[in-house]
Amino acid sequence: MAGQPRQRPAWAPLLLRLLLAGIAACAASPADDGAGPGGRGPRGRARGDAGADEAVPRHDSSYGTFAGEFYDLRYLSEEGYPFPTAPPVDPFAKIKVEDCGRTKGCFRYGKPGCNAETCDYFLSYRMIGADVEFELSADTDGWVAVGFSSDKKMGGDDVMACVHDDNGRVRIQHFYNVGQWAKEVQRNPARDEEGVFENNRVTCRFKRPVNVPRDETIVDLHLSWYYLFAWGPAIQGSITRHDIDSPPASERVVSIYKYEDIFMPSAAYQTFSSPFCLLLIVALTFYLLMGTP
């Protein structure tokens, strides 16, 4: 009859409940699972607490899963570890000549006033704990070396050499002099090695122990030795004959515990340093001052 309210079908409440349940299921997230009494989630916060949603991560889409799988494939190896990257290369620290005679001993061979970058040959040594650190530099594209000898002649000497190879590297090698011939020894006492070839110079730095087990090819550095200085060309990373016929040597035995700064003029600057030349200069000066009779 007109004016009477329409009766809803009996299935309408059931349909409404199903729709509400579907909406609730679509809006639910993994963070809502396991909510306990009182409307609190797994962290014990009320659903109405401010910031509760931000505190719990949400995964409303599969983008996060896709991004994670892409990262695993792109940046991780098969074993699950990050791909290795090349370590940074530290530049070679320049040799400090201002420390010569103070905190280390030095030998310079070449032009008066030269330093580690301008001398024909340069060597320094200093004690560091149970080691001796050596620095060598020479005007060559091949090799630079120091020998430890019981006399000032080649033969039966322990030699450490820095060799520039064809790949541009500078390697530290150990040799034993047999007469005028240097034989490489596999037992190499050098460690903490570094070297560089720049401006047509071979420069290196390394350490070796002060005390070593008794061996014919390697000496104890706590004893004093004559130091032999040599440098020359290299062929395919192998040393050849030194540049000069008579390489310089220390005038006396060297103690690693005594730091000196010793300069030796090269042949080009020895013209007026020999006793005969000095005597000739004195005689000529006396003659000019006295005048002719």
Side-chain angles (χ1 to χ4, degrees):
M1 293 178 61
Q4 293 182 352
R6 297 181 58 183
Q7 298 293 328
R8 295 180 179 177
W11 45 265
L14 178 61
L15 178 60
L16 180 60
R17 285 196 295 270
L18 290 175
L19 289 176
L20 293 176
I23 293 174
C26 292
S29 69
D32 297 324
D33 293 338
R40 295 184 176 269
R43 298 180 183 266
R45 289 183 178 175
R47 296 184 186 220
D49 290 348
D53 290 340
E54 289 79 9
V56 181
R58 305 177 67 90
H59 304 278
D60 294 333
S61 69
S62 61
Y63 175 78
T65 303
F66 168 78
E69 292 177 353
F70 178 79
Y71 176 85
D72 291 343
L73 293 175
R74 175 64 180 83
Y75 294 103
L76 298 183
S77 62
E78 294 180 357
E79 293 79 14
Y81 297 100
F83 289 119
T85 57
V89 178
D90 295 331
F92 186 90
K94 290 187 177 182
I95 298 175
K96 297 181 179 180
V97 295
E98 58 269 21
D99 295 336
C100 292
R102 299 168 54 195
T103 59
K104 64 183 178 183
C106 297
F107 289 91
R108 315 183 198 205
Y109 177 84
K111 181 181 179 180
C114 66
N115 56 35
E117 299 176 3
T118 57
C119 287
D120 294 349
Y121 178 95
F122 178 91
L123 175 138
S124 77
Y125 61 91
R126 65 169 176 164
M127 291 285 297
I128 301 180
D131 295 331
V132 182
E133 182 185 72
F134 290 96
E135 296 174 314
L136 284 78
S137 180
D139 184 14
T140 180
D141 62 355
W143 57 273
V144 55
V146 57
F148 310 101
S149 176
S150 59
D151 52 27
K152 299 173 69 173
K153 301 178 182 179
M154 291 183 62
D157 308 317
D158 175 2
V159 177
M160 301 299 299
C162 306
V163 185
H164 176 221
D165 62 22
D166 291 343
N167 296 322
R169 299 173 301 180
V170 174
R171 298 176 290 108
I172 316 301
Q173 296 179 267
H174 183 214
F175 294 90
Y176 181 75
N177 278 345
V178 181
Q180 300 293 314
W181 178 59
K183 176 183 177 182
E184 184 174 2
V185 182
Q186 294 303 317
R187 183 189 175 195
N188 191 340
R191 55 193 179 204
D192 295 341
E193 313 160 17
E194 54 180 330
V196 65
F197 176 70
E198 290 180 347
N199 302 322
N200 202 46
R201 293 188 68 88
V202 175
T203 306
C204 65
R205 183 183 292 113
F206 62 89
K207 298 174 185 174
R208 63 174 270 174
V210 175
N211 300 303
V212 294
R214 187 177 182 84
D215 192 313
E216 181 185 17
T217 64
I218 185 171
V219 302
D220 279 339
L221 292 178
H222 76 277
L223 301 175
S224 297
W225 304 91
Y226 288 100
Y227 281 21
L228 309 180
F229 314 119
W231 63 100
I235 299 178
Q236 296 181 347
S238 299
I239 67 174
T240 61
R241 183 175 173 78
H242 39 70
D243 277 345
I244 55 181
D245 293 333
S246 299
S250 61
E251 291 295 328
R252 56 184 181 274
V253 292
V254 179
S255 170
I256 60 171
Y257 303 102
K258 185 178 181 180
Y259 296 156
E260 299 181 274
D261 187 8
I262 298 176
F263 170 75
M264 295 175 287
S266 61
Y269 300 95
Q270 293 177 1
T271 304
F272 299 105
S273 61
S274 66
F276 176 77
C277 291
L278 290 175
L279 181 60
L280 183 61
I281 293 173
V282 170
L284 181 59
T285 302
F286 180 78
Y287 176 78
L288 293 175
L289 290 176
M290 294 301 293
T292 57

